[in-house]
Amino acid sequence: MTGAITRRSALAGAGALALLAAAPAMAAGAGRETLLATMRRATRFMTDRVATEGGYVWSYLPDMSRRWGEMEAKPTMIWVQDPGTAAMGHLFLDAWHATGEEQYYRAAEQVAGALVRGQHPSGGWHYFIDFGGDASARDWHETIGRQGRRLEEFRHYYGNATFDDGGTVESGKFLLRLYLARNDPTWRAPLDRVVDFVLDAQYPIGGWPQRFPIDRSYSNGGLPDYTANITFNDDVASNNIAFLMLVHQALGERRVLDSIRRGMGVFLLAQQGQPQPGWALQYTRELEPAGARTSEPPSLATHTTYACVQQLMQFYRWTGDSKYLARIPEAIAWLEKLQLPPERQLNGFTHPTFIEVGTDRALYLKESGSWTGDTRNEIVYEPKDGVSWVNRKLDLARLREGYRRLLALSRNEATRGSPLLARDRIPLPRYFVVREVRGSDLNIAEGDGRRAADVVAALNREGYWPTPLRATSNRWRPPAEAALLPPSRAADGRLLDARDTSPYITDTPAVGISTGTYINNMAVLIRALDDTARLDKKA
């Protein structure tokens, strides 16, 4: 699971801006050959100079002296969690579909090879793969992972796989696409293992745990281990259903249909009754709202409720069954009741995150301690200094309008294109990276409508797009040694204990290499190629 997500413009940074200023002619327009040449050069840099065994982390210093996924990584590690290795595989396949050039197909195969090497025997994936072996992965968890104050999911080496942040199912989607590209049997066996993993991990009631196979050996600060809980957080259930739907859609696999239906059904079962018809981040196997990390108390969650309403509308589009729409008005009305008063809707935030079961009171968390060894979270009812996970931005007008539009459609109109109701298999989309990759990368900011010509001009002489790496962290040191060092200061003014290895935002970033920037900029160029082709046809 991840905390607050911030994204940064892929074209920011002194190196990129200087290059833009030096190339006004290039920035004036980008023809097809220029687009293709830029894509080739940027891709060669990533495959030849950045990749580790065919895989990637999120960020690198130019001299490769440090690298990050969600936390600092060893040179032997690649990151599965978005926007990491699986996302790079999707981008390479998109580029291959756009250009037909073998360079991209070969790069996609290299990604697949890395993922298959790191696939857990159960069929899923951990957040990362360490080609240094099991001992190296354990060492990472016992050092960097254990001292990450904010990212509790990295403090313990479970030795199993996770559904969190979509890493497992994104890898599965990528293998599905690669298999379909040329029907190469090399990729069918690992793809089948992913499908088996998703099916095997599902509880009879329809939900999925956060991690699988279940391991209850860990207690985080004396709290029960939460990884066996039925999980809606970070779209675990939604992502798993969507993956199985693609498998059915593309391969006609009927064995996944029961799992899909039970998965959709658990959304109905997990919705609470009146007067709180919302959803929680996670549940016990008896469908009681449960806690997870120390920053996620047992409660109902407004953003999860919003996402579950959207999913129910999707389920109706797939099935035409009105049971998925029946209680949506209750959930929307409950969210309307929970809106913050206008004077507290600062910076566009509209709702508190956590809602106390039985009272509708907002829950906030008062943090204490300075690093993972002494951090605590106390539940309070008023937002004050030091309180985290305060508010969410929920567009209820958009949600209401989407529901109204869906109701206005006939059943046949609403279900047009449904993989469940279609007589024939439906091809997968040509492109999967159709909008900016978010993932959990703190170095990726919201896009700024950049033009393909600007992306072309921003590629530097070495072959990468310079990116200010605002997400950094303290280097790991033995706790006793690090305790003697002065604290670091985050961009928001917070002082950070030198023992804490969690990522934070700095206002003095190094400029380096970003996987997310590469993916997003390549997606811009691919769209521009398609636009150029359409213009050529009209001419």
Side-chain angles (χ1 to χ4, degrees):
M1 302 177 194
T2 58
I5 296 174
T6 317
R7 298 194 298 158
R8 177 191 38 71
S9 168
L11 292 181
L17 292 176
L19 198 54
L20 279 172
M26 183 177 284
R32 179 175 176 81
E33 290 307 315
T34 299
L35 296 172
L36 290 171
T38 303
M39 292 170 61
R40 292 174 194 134
R41 194 156 65 90
T43 300
R44 281 196 300 271
F45 181 87
M46 297 300 288
T47 58
D48 297 351
R49 296 178 58 184
V50 177
T52 298
E53 305 286 341
Y56 302 83
V57 297
W58 296 355
S59 304
Y60 305 79
L61 292 183
D63 64 0
M64 299 293 168
S65 60
R66 294 187 76 184
R67 61 190 70 202
W68 295 266
E70 190 163 23
M71 297 182 75
E72 185 159 5
K74 293 183 176 184
T76 53
M77 289 168 58
I78 64 173
W79 227 256
V80 178
Q81 180 187 12
D82 268 355
T85 299
M88 287 290 281
H90 280 304
L91 185 281
F92 291 143
L93 283 179
D94 285 2
W96 178 66
H97 283 297
T99 67
E101 296 183 6
E102 283 298 299
Q103 171 186 4
Y104 303 110
Y105 189 84
R106 290 194 301 272
E109 285 191 308
Q110 290 166 1
V111 164
L115 289 173
V116 170
R117 280 186 61 193
Q119 190 174 21
H120 190 270
S122 63
W125 280 269
H126 183 45
Y127 296 97
F128 60 78
I129 296 166
D130 190 342
F131 293 116
D134 188 72
S136 179
R138 287 181 181 278
D139 174 74
W140 185 93
H141 280 279
E142 291 169 3
T143 54
I144 295 170
R146 181 171 291 180
Q147 289 185 205
R149 178 174 187 251
R150 185 171 64 81
L151 300 174
E152 295 172 21
E153 57 270 34
F154 292 115
R155 293 183 191 169
H156 175 67
Y157 182 75
Y158 289 89
N160 56 13
T162 183
F163 289 112
D164 190 26
D165 284 348
T168 285
V169 294
E170 282 305 315
S171 299
K173 289 177 187 177
F174 165 65
L175 289 176
L176 173 63
R177 292 184 70 202
L178 186 61
Y179 169 70
L180 291 170
R182 289 178 172 170
N183 292 318
D184 186 342
T186 304
W187 312 118
R188 184 60 191 256
L191 170 61
D192 286 340
R193 288 198 295 271
V194 189
V195 176
D196 290 341
F197 176 79
V198 178
L199 298 180
D200 293 344
Q202 188 178 31
Y203 289 122
I205 201 170
W208 283 270
Q210 191 217 49
R211 301 187 69 97
F212 187 78
I214 302 299
D215 180 347
R216 300 180 183 273
S217 64
Y218 178 58
S219 176
N220 182 23
L223 297 174
D225 180 63
Y226 58 83
T227 59
N229 288 344
I230 292 173
T231 304
F232 287 82
N233 191 25
D234 289 328
D235 299 320
V236 164
S238 301
N239 286 337
N240 289 353
I241 295 168
F243 169 62
L244 294 177
M245 188 65 78
L246 289 177
V247 170
H248 172 68
Q249 172 182 332
L251 301 177
E253 286 267 12
R254 299 192 62 80
R255 68 187 178 115
V256 303
L257 291 178
D258 176 67
S259 180
I260 290 171
R261 294 190 178 101
R262 285 188 290 117
M264 293 191 294
V266 81
F267 281 75
L268 300 178
L269 296 172
Q271 186 178 11
Q272 303 296 284
Q274 288 287 5
Q276 292 184 297
W279 283 263
L281 290 175
Q282 48 270 317
Y283 295 81
T284 67
R285 292 173 67 176
E286 293 73 35
L287 286 182
E288 296 292 330
R293 297 183 298 180
T294 57
S295 57
E296 295 161 344
S299 60
L300 302 179
T302 56
H303 63 297
T304 303
T305 297
Y306 188 100
C308 286
V309 168
Q310 292 178 309
Q311 281 302 125
L312 290 177
M313 290 192 283
Q314 179 61 61
F315 298 159
Y316 176 72
R317 295 185 189 97
W318 281 339
T319 66
D321 193 332
S322 60
K323 69 183 180 184
Y324 296 111
L325 302 181
R327 296 191 62 203
I328 284 178
E330 296 175 49
I332 295 177
W334 184 64
L335 289 175
E336 288 172 338
K337 183 173 67 172
L338 296 173
Q339 287 186 102
L340 295 166
E343 65 273 14
R344 284 183 53 195
Q345 291 191 20
L346 303 177
N347 300 318
F349 289 96
T350 60
H351 288 73
T353 295
F354 298 119
I355 304 299
E356 189 172 51
V357 176
T359 70
D360 272 353
R361 288 193 297 180
L363 301 180
Y364 299 99
L365 296 169
K366 178 73 173 181
E367 294 181 324
S368 63
S370 58
W371 71 296
T372 182
D374 61 3
T375 184
R376 296 291 182 272
N377 284 288
E378 173 192 358
I379 293 176
V380 297
Y381 295 100
E382 290 295 330
K384 298 177 181 177
D385 291 343
V387 171
S388 65
W389 295 88
V390 177
N391 295 327
R392 295 280 170 166
K393 297 179 180 180
L394 304 181
D395 190 345
L396 293 189
R398 181 179 181 182
L399 193 66
R400 286 191 300 268
E401 179 61 16
Y403 179 66
R404 186 195 67 78
R405 288 178 178 271
L406 189 58
L407 287 181
L409 299 175
S410 69
R411 181 180 181 275
N412 286 340
E413 289 172 325
T415 58
R416 185 174 293 123
S418 164
L420 287 179
L421 302 179
R423 293 182 179 179
D424 301 313
R425 296 182 194 175
I426 301 174
L428 296 186
R430 187 182 189 200
Y431 301 138
F432 269 54
V433 185
V434 295
R435 57 186 175 184
E436 285 202 330
V437 170
R438 288 173 176 259
S440 303
D441 189 350
L442 297 172
N443 280 319
I444 306 300
E446 295 210 7
D448 55 3
R450 59 196 178 280
R451 300 180 306 148
D454 296 333
V455 172
V456 168
L459 192 71
N460 69 9
R461 291 180 176 84
E462 286 75 17
Y464 67 89
W465 285 285
T467 300
L469 303 178
R470 297 184 63 234
T472 187
S473 65
N474 295 320
R475 285 185 179 273
W476 180 83
R477 293 177 175 84
E481 176 186 330
L484 302 176
L485 299 175
S488 306
R489 185 178 293 275
D492 61 6
R494 290 177 299 123
L495 293 177
L496 304 166
D497 194 293
R499 291 168 289 188
D500 183 5
T501 55
S502 299
Y504 64 91
I505 299 297
T506 178
D507 55 8
T508 57
V511 175
I513 302 156
S514 165
T515 298
T517 297
Y518 167 82
I519 292 170
N520 292 336
N521 284 352
M522 286 285 288
V524 170
L525 300 181
I526 289 170
R527 291 193 294 271
L529 275 180
D530 279 2
D531 291 342
T532 301
R534 281 192 291 270
L535 289 173
D536 288 345
K537 284 182 180 180
K538 288 182 180 180

